[in-house]
Amino acid sequence: MLALDVTDQTSVDTAVGTALSEAGGLDVVINNAGVAALGVTEAFTPEQFEHIFAVNVNGVVRVNRAVLPAMRRQRSGLLVHVSSGAGRVTIPAMAAYCASKYALEAIADAYRYELLPFGIDSILVEPGVYRTGIHDRLTKPADAARLRDYGGGADFAERVNGVFQAIVGAPDAPGSAEVVDALVRLIDMDPGRRPFRTVVSAPIQQLLDSYNASAAALRPMVAQIFNVPELGGSAIV
């Protein structure tokens, strides 16, 4: 086990370099580091947005850049990007988190196109609401004055938070085992046959499956329109 801080270039380079030296290569990279925020959007400062993107977006770019040269040389590999249902639909009071996951979805999609000739799969896993430590460390808005301006109208944020707390606090609330099982299934699949998006948890599947299927069908069309049909691949849902 190696320490790795996705916001620190030296940390990433050291960890990846050590892994490559000791293992001789990298087959799978799971980008799972993430932070979340909940509250009135206007009351979050630009610096708070920057911190969330530093972990959820720039951290992924940093890690992928560190591992991809080796994967391209071996002409194989799997990049897994742990997104969220909130990367496909916007939840009130979660603008910063949703925006970071929307960005992650776009980055993973671009990798999906561009790494196809190297035999490297780029995929997304979109979990639902699970009991993990992220709910105990939610970033709250820092601008108290802006928050006061909303008065009682800011209670929508607490109602949204209440839904999350009720789900993760339920006695039968699932832990992250379902997500782990999905990751194992995807890793075990043949290269080139993995779906681009995998939704985990039945309620979120009902919400997103048709949306994701439509997006998958569009990908070859986008590649054709922009004169890179060879990067379109197949529309695996």
Side-chain angles (χ1 to χ4, degrees):
M1 185 176 294
L2 303 171
L4 189 156
D5 179 351
V6 299
T7 66
D8 185 305
Q9 188 66 55
T10 300
S11 174
V12 171
D13 290 342
T14 299
V16 172
T18 301
L20 288 171
S21 174
E22 294 186 358
L26 286 173
D27 299 311
V28 181
V29 172
I30 301 175
N31 287 290
N32 185 52
V35 292
L38 193 149
V40 175
T41 301
E42 187 182 345
F44 282 97
T45 66
E47 291 76 18
Q48 288 185 294
F49 267 79
E50 288 172 1
H51 171 67
I52 291 162
F53 271 70
V55 178
N56 295 2
V57 181
N58 296 349
V60 173
V61 172
R62 185 173 288 110
V63 170
N64 286 352
R65 278 176 49 84
V67 303
L68 277 172
M71 286 186 170
R72 284 189 287 101
R73 284 193 297 270
Q74 68 191 23
R75 303 194 74 81
S76 66
L78 170 62
L79 300 178
V80 182
H81 305 88
V82 179
S83 180
S84 168
R88 300 295 274 160
V89 295
T90 304
I91 303 169
M94 296 195 73
Y97 181 73
C98 291
S100 72
K101 292 301 185 179
Y102 272 62
L104 176 62
E105 296 258 340
I107 291 167
D109 206 351
Y111 278 129
R112 178 79 167 188
Y113 285 116
E114 297 170 24
L115 296 175
L116 179 65
F118 296 97
I120 300 169
D121 280 346
S122 169
I123 64 174
L124 285 155
V125 174
E126 298 167 342
V129 183
Y130 290 92
R131 186 194 292 132
T132 69
I134 198 169
H135 299 285
D136 301 323
R137 297 188 293 273
L138 290 172
T139 299
K140 298 296 181 69
D143 193 333
R146 295 292 178 104
L147 199 55
R148 284 194 298 271
D149 287 345
Y150 276 73
D155 76 322
F156 70 87
E158 284 309 311
R159 283 185 278 145
V160 170
N161 191 32
V163 173
F164 283 105
Q165 296 304 323
I167 295 173
V168 300
D172 58 347
S176 56
E178 290 182 348
V179 182
V180 174
D181 290 343
L183 292 171
V184 172
R185 287 195 303 271
L186 288 163
I187 291 168
D188 284 344
M189 293 179 70
D190 291 335
R193 298 304 304 166
R194 299 177 177 105
F196 176 47
R197 289 184 170 94
T198 297
V199 182
V200 188
S201 87
I204 305 301
Q205 286 176 344
Q206 294 175 0
L207 182 66
L208 296 184
D209 273 359
S210 60
Y211 182 22
N212 286 345
S214 297
L218 284 174
R219 295 187 79 261
M221 295 174 58
V222 171
Q224 185 72 40
I225 290 169
F226 288 95
N227 197 30
V228 285
E230 74 280 6
L231 301 182
S234 57
I236 301 174
V237 180

